[in-house]
Amino acid sequence: MALKKANFNDNEIAIYDEAVIYKRGEYWQFRMWLAKEGKYARLSLKTRSQSTAEDKAKQQYHVLMSEQQQGKTYFSMTTKAGVELYLAQRWKDVEADLIVKGRHATIKTHLAHWLEFIKRDTKLKELERTDCENYFHSRTKTKKNISAAQSTIENEQSTINAMMSWLYKRKETYIDSFDFKKLKRIDRGDEDLRRASFTDVEIGEIRYQLEIIVAEAVKHIDERGNLVRAVVGYYLLILIVAGLRRGEQLQLRWMDIEHIEHIIGGDEENSHSLVKITVRAETSKVRKTRKFAVRDKEYFEDLFKLLYPRYIKANKANPQAAKFAEMLIFSVNGKTPITVRAIDYLFDQVLDLADVKRRDTRDLVPYSFRHYFITKRVNSGLHSMAVAEMCGTSTTQIEKTYYHTTREKMISNAMADYCYNKDGLLILL
């Protein structure tokens, strides 16, 4: 293998008479002609020192020669193409029921953030293990002043390295992972750092405002956008009382809902209307079917009354209840779910109306309603296993994340060894 170029400038130095190093600005670059591929292999040596550049160039020369003899190619796809290839592979996992669509969407979002950081036209084989050491800084110090939570970035880094490992096994990269900086440990017990949630007062006001929004939308349902607004409003109200994951809730069908009348102590006046919800395995993050019941606030029933007549009207020729049962609940046509954008828009609007405080320092998103749902059951004394079964997660996750000390629990613990005597005095037992 010989250099395509025979004559060198003053700032060019031949390496083994088959490659060359040269300066671009203050840094040394490497170039070597690959006859089999008909192209130059070019890369930055990332050093200002000539001696260091020569040592790095010689190492690179031997790597390239070895790979050429093994039939490997040097030129690689871009990071954008690598991400597309990986996402295509993970979509096969969706089709094989190994992951849910929601998980695939999350992976896609994680890698989109990485592409913004690493740049879409960067060559995969030019990446080095240290190229993402400032990823956390970049994601938390954005120009738009939108800071991602540390847990979010940790999940993104895990996704990125999973992709790099997959690409490495297919010889598309020279590294199998990035050396991300070790992040500080999150104190899950700290009141200011625990998962974002709402207070009981905030939830009460949010539900009040949502019910007003839904009522107004239903009142003028034929006006443009009001049907979507009503369905999204019911989506958020039901999220508060059911604590479902977004993907699970958006994929609920009417056949997954069953109403139950629960009578306490044989007294019909003390009866509660419950809704049994079935989360199918194919829509669950953990790939397991689960069934649980929640108190019905008549949200499901009211949404049914809104959508079923529209279905009948649209299917005058052959209206079948069985077909309606197969339709998506949170949808205006029964086939496609409401959009995340519509959910986020109404969520932000209702938090404004409810006058939720300190939003600039709290990581409040629609998923926070799930945190509230779980926290309420934990603080009510429900066993972690029962909470885990209801919410479709592990007892370890429940205990690690949600069994943090709260004001209510501290008071309960402090009062555990006290009682009131007949005179109404608090005494130590």
Side-chain angles (χ1 to χ4, degrees), residues 154-187:
E154 288 173 342
N155 291 334
E156 288 179 9
Q157 292 178 171
S158 178
T159 297
I160 293 165
N161 273 345
M163 178 192 67
M164 292 302 295
S165 176
W166 184 82
L167 291 170
Y168 177 77
K169 292 175 182 178
R170 284 151 185 78
K171 304 187 186 304
E172 298 292 347
T173 69
Y174 292 136
I175 60 172
D176 61 353
S177 63
F178 292 108
D179 294 331
F180 292 104
K181 285 184 178 178
K182 187 176 181 180
L183 304 181
K184 63 182 180 180
R185 183 176 178 273
I186 301 176
D187 184 359

Side-chain angles (χ1 to χ4, degrees), residues 363-408:
D363 189 20
L364 296 174
V365 293
Y367 199 84
S368 299
F369 289 143
R370 175 174 165 85
H371 298 326
Y372 173 81
F373 177 87
I374 297 175
T375 301
K376 284 293 290 182
R377 277 139 191 82
V378 167
N379 290 341
S380 68
L382 194 61
H383 193 279
S384 59
M385 183 175 293
V387 179
E389 289 176 353
M390 176 178 282
C391 300
T393 187
S394 67
T395 55
T396 300
Q397 182 68 16
I398 292 293
E399 292 171 355
K400 180 179 71 173
T401 307
Y402 295 97
Y403 272 80
H404 45 60
T405 301
T406 64
R407 181 175 182 275
E408 293 81 0

Side-chain angles (χ1 to χ4, degrees), residues 37-155:
E37 299 182 58
K39 297 179 181 178
Y40 278 109
R42 308 172 189 267
L43 59 92
S44 172
L45 297 173
K46 299 182 179 180
T47 181
R48 301 177 183 178
S49 168
Q50 178 179 325
S51 59
T52 301
E54 290 179 6
D55 290 340
K56 283 189 171 184
K58 290 175 181 178
Q59 293 174 5
Q60 186 62 38
Y61 168 82
H62 290 302
V63 169
L64 287 173
M65 288 294 291
S66 174
E67 290 178 347
Q68 292 285 302
Q69 290 173 3
Q70 295 176 47
K72 297 180 181 179
T73 59
Y74 169 77
F75 288 96
S76 69
M77 62 180 67
T78 62
T79 51
K80 179 183 177 181
V83 165
E84 291 173 349
L85 186 66
Y86 181 67
L87 289 175
Q89 175 61 32
R90 297 314 304 268
W91 184 254
K92 293 180 180 178
D93 292 341
V94 173
E95 295 176 333
D97 287 333
L98 298 177
I99 63 173
V100 296
K101 290 182 180 179
R103 177 56 186 163
H104 186 274
T106 299
I107 293 171
K108 185 176 181 180
T109 300
H110 288 176
L111 296 178
H113 288 307
W114 178 68
L115 286 176
E116 290 179 8
F117 172 81
I118 206 70
K119 307 307 177 188
R120 290 168 172 75
D121 57 351
T122 302
K123 300 293 185 182
L124 284 174
K125 290 186 177 178
E126 292 180 359
L127 296 174
E128 297 184 10
R129 296 186 68 91
T130 57
D131 283 346
C132 288
E133 63 180 354
N134 292 320
Y135 186 77
F136 177 79
H137 178 272
S138 174
R139 290 285 287 116
T140 55
K141 305 296 180 184
T142 62
K143 293 180 179 179
K144 296 182 179 179
N145 200 30
I146 301 174
S147 179
Q150 179 173 323
S151 58
T152 298
I153 299 173
E154 288 173 342
N155 291 334

Side-chain angles (χ1 to χ4, degrees), residues 280-307:
R280 288 167 281 117
E282 61 266 28
T283 67
S284 171
K285 179 180 178 181
V286 294
R287 316 305 290 165
K288 290 183 179 179
T289 296
R290 74 179 190 277
K291 299 179 180 182
F292 65 99
V294 295
R295 288 187 183 182
D296 182 17
K297 304 295 183 181
E298 298 185 351
Y299 299 144
F300 279 109
E301 183 177 352
D302 290 344
L303 182 56
F304 176 86
K305 290 177 179 178
L306 174 65
L307 297 179

Side-chain angles (χ1 to χ4, degrees), residues 239-390:
L239 174 56
I240 293 173
V241 300
L244 292 162
R245 296 183 178 91
R246 184 177 69 196
E248 295 172 344
Q249 187 165 336
L250 288 179
Q251 295 180 78
L252 278 181
R253 300 181 185 276
W254 287 107
M255 63 183 180
D256 299 324
I257 303 301
E258 179 183 348
H259 288 272
I260 306 172
E261 191 72 18
H262 180 60
I263 300 176
I264 301 175
D267 185 357
E268 293 187 7
E269 292 184 0
N270 293 322
S271 65
H272 292 282
S273 179
L274 305 180
V275 171
K276 184 174 76 173
I277 301 173
T278 299
V279 178
R280 288 167 281 117
E282 61 266 28
T283 67
S284 171
K285 179 180 178 181
V286 294
R287 316 305 290 165
K288 290 183 179 179
T289 296
R290 74 179 190 277
K291 299 179 180 182
F292 65 99
V294 295
R295 288 187 183 182
D296 182 17
K297 304 295 183 181
E298 298 185 351
Y299 299 144
F300 279 109
E301 183 177 352
D302 290 344
L303 182 56
F304 176 86
K305 290 177 179 178
L306 174 65
L307 297 179
Y308 188 68
R310 302 181 73 87
Y311 162 76
I312 295 295
K313 184 177 180 180
N315 296 272
K316 288 182 178 180
N318 189 24
Q320 297 180 26
K323 287 187 176 180
F324 183 77
E326 296 175 357
M327 292 188 172
L328 295 173
I329 295 177
F330 302 101
S331 168
V332 296
N333 59 14
K335 300 176 182 179
T336 56
I338 53 176
T339 65
V340 175
R341 182 178 180 181
I343 295 170
D344 291 341
Y345 179 81
L346 188 58
F347 175 80
D348 288 336
Q349 188 178 55
V350 77
L351 260 59
D352 287 336
L353 293 171
D355 194 25
V356 175
K357 305 297 185 183
R358 298 183 293 107
R359 289 175 60 187
D360 57 334
T361 58
R362 298 164 68 187
D363 189 20
L364 296 174
V365 293
Y367 199 84
S368 299
F369 289 143
R370 175 174 165 85
H371 298 326
Y372 173 81
F373 177 87
I374 297 175
T375 301
K376 284 293 290 182
R377 277 139 191 82
V378 167
N379 290 341
S380 68
L382 194 61
H383 193 279
S384 59
M385 183 175 293
V387 179
E389 289 176 353
M390 176 178 282

